[in-house]
């Protein structure tokens, strides 16, 4: 376990969040998504989106958190983004109100591979759960690629399980299957220690 902490993202973090996202996708999804799609992702465009997400979130319950590794210097090593469910959280043909207003959707939870297995993902998830609880959410959902064994294992080890929903993303004429995981948000924080 490393020395590290989680804090809310700041506007000046946007470029680093984009870099982490791109580096992580290019490693984690290299066998799941077409190479040209990953190669064509534009870091500057991603940074603009993250800047907007941090500066002007759609609501008070939309959050972007960053994980920081502490050593002689501090490094941003991962991030998590979540907010109330919207159309992106729904399965195909699922009614708009199927998930309810008390459900939060995780849109991203990534730790740069070279910083993996040092507790950063767990800290990001725990900090997110604390914020979800404070905001009154009682369940969380997240879409994961069926072939992304690392993310599936991380979340299922933390108590998440498939909720039966699935979909396939059309990525450059290639259908990439995803499944939705869910978990109850505990009403009380875990005991210290």
């Amino acid at each position: 376990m490393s020395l590290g902490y989680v804090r809310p993202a700041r506007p000046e973090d946007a470029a680093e969040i984009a870099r982490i996202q791109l580096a992580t996708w290019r490693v984690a999804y290299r066998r799941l998504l077409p190479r040209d799609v990953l190669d064509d992702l534009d870091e500057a465009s991603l940074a603009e989106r993250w800047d907007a997400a941090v500066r002007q979130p759609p609501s008070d319950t939309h959050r972007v958190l960053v994980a920081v590794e502490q050593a002689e210097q501090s490094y941003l090593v991962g991030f998590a983004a979540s907010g109330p469910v919207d159309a992106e959280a729904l399965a195909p043909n699922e009614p708009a109100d199927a998930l309810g207003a008390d459900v939060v959707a995780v849109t991203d939870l990534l730790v740069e591979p070279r910083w993996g297995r040092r507790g950063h993902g767990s800290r990001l998830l725990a900090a997110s759960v604390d914020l979800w609880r404070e905001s009154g959410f009682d369940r969380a959902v997240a879409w994961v690629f069926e072939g992304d064994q690392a993310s599936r294992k991380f979340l299922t080890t933390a108590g998440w399980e498939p909720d039966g929903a699935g979909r396939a993303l059309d990525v450059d004429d290639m259908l990439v299957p995803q499944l939705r995981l869910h978990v109850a948000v505990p009403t009380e924080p875990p005991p210290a220690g």
Side-chain angles (χ1 to χ4, degrees):
M1 188 95 45
S2 67
L3 292 176
Y5 61 92
V6 172
R7 64 166 170 78
R10 302 174 189 142
E12 60 267 22
D13 298 329
E16 191 64 1
I17 292 170
R19 187 199 63 74
I20 291 167
Q21 181 177 23
L22 201 53
T24 303
W25 282 11
R26 286 181 173 158
V27 170
Y29 302 151
R30 71 181 181 271
R31 288 180 173 52
L32 301 175
L33 300 175
R35 182 179 182 151
D36 60 315
V37 169
L38 292 172
D39 289 345
D40 289 345
L41 290 171
D42 179 47
E43 193 170 328
S45 177
L46 290 173
E48 287 176 17
R49 289 184 197 164
W50 285 114
D51 183 67
V54 171
R55 285 181 193 274
Q56 299 172 321
S59 77
D60 290 343
T61 55
H62 281 83
R63 305 271 185 12
V64 180
L65 302 175
V66 294
V68 179
E69 168 92 8
Q70 281 187 248
E72 290 179 22
Q73 293 182 323
S74 293
Y75 305 93
L76 254 59
V77 298
F79 67 96
S82 63
V85 294
D86 58 13
E88 295 296 314
L90 298 173
N93 303 317
E94 195 170 35
D97 61 352
L99 294 175
D102 56 353
V103 180
V104 63
V106 177
T107 56
D108 292 279
L109 199 163
L110 298 172
V111 174
E112 190 175 358
R114 66 185 170 134
W115 297 103
R117 307 203 53 83
R118 297 167 68 89
H120 297 297
S122 295
R123 280 191 285 278
L124 282 165
L125 187 56
S128 295
V129 168
D130 288 344
L131 291 170
W132 302 338
R133 184 183 310 105
E134 290 172 16
S135 297
F137 293 113
D138 61 21
R139 192 162 62 98
V141 297
W143 286 100
V144 295
F145 290 115
E146 284 186 13
D148 182 358
Q149 296 302 318
S151 293
R152 287 178 65 180
K153 183 178 179 184
F154 172 74
L155 289 172
T156 57
T157 299
W160 295 62
E161 54 189 22
D163 71 359
R167 67 184 182 189
L169 296 183
D170 185 350
V171 181
D172 201 29
D173 290 331
M174 179 177 148
L175 293 178
V176 184
Q178 289 187 310
L179 64 121
R180 190 171 61 199
L181 302 177
H182 73 124
V183 71
V185 174
T187 56
E188 297 289 327

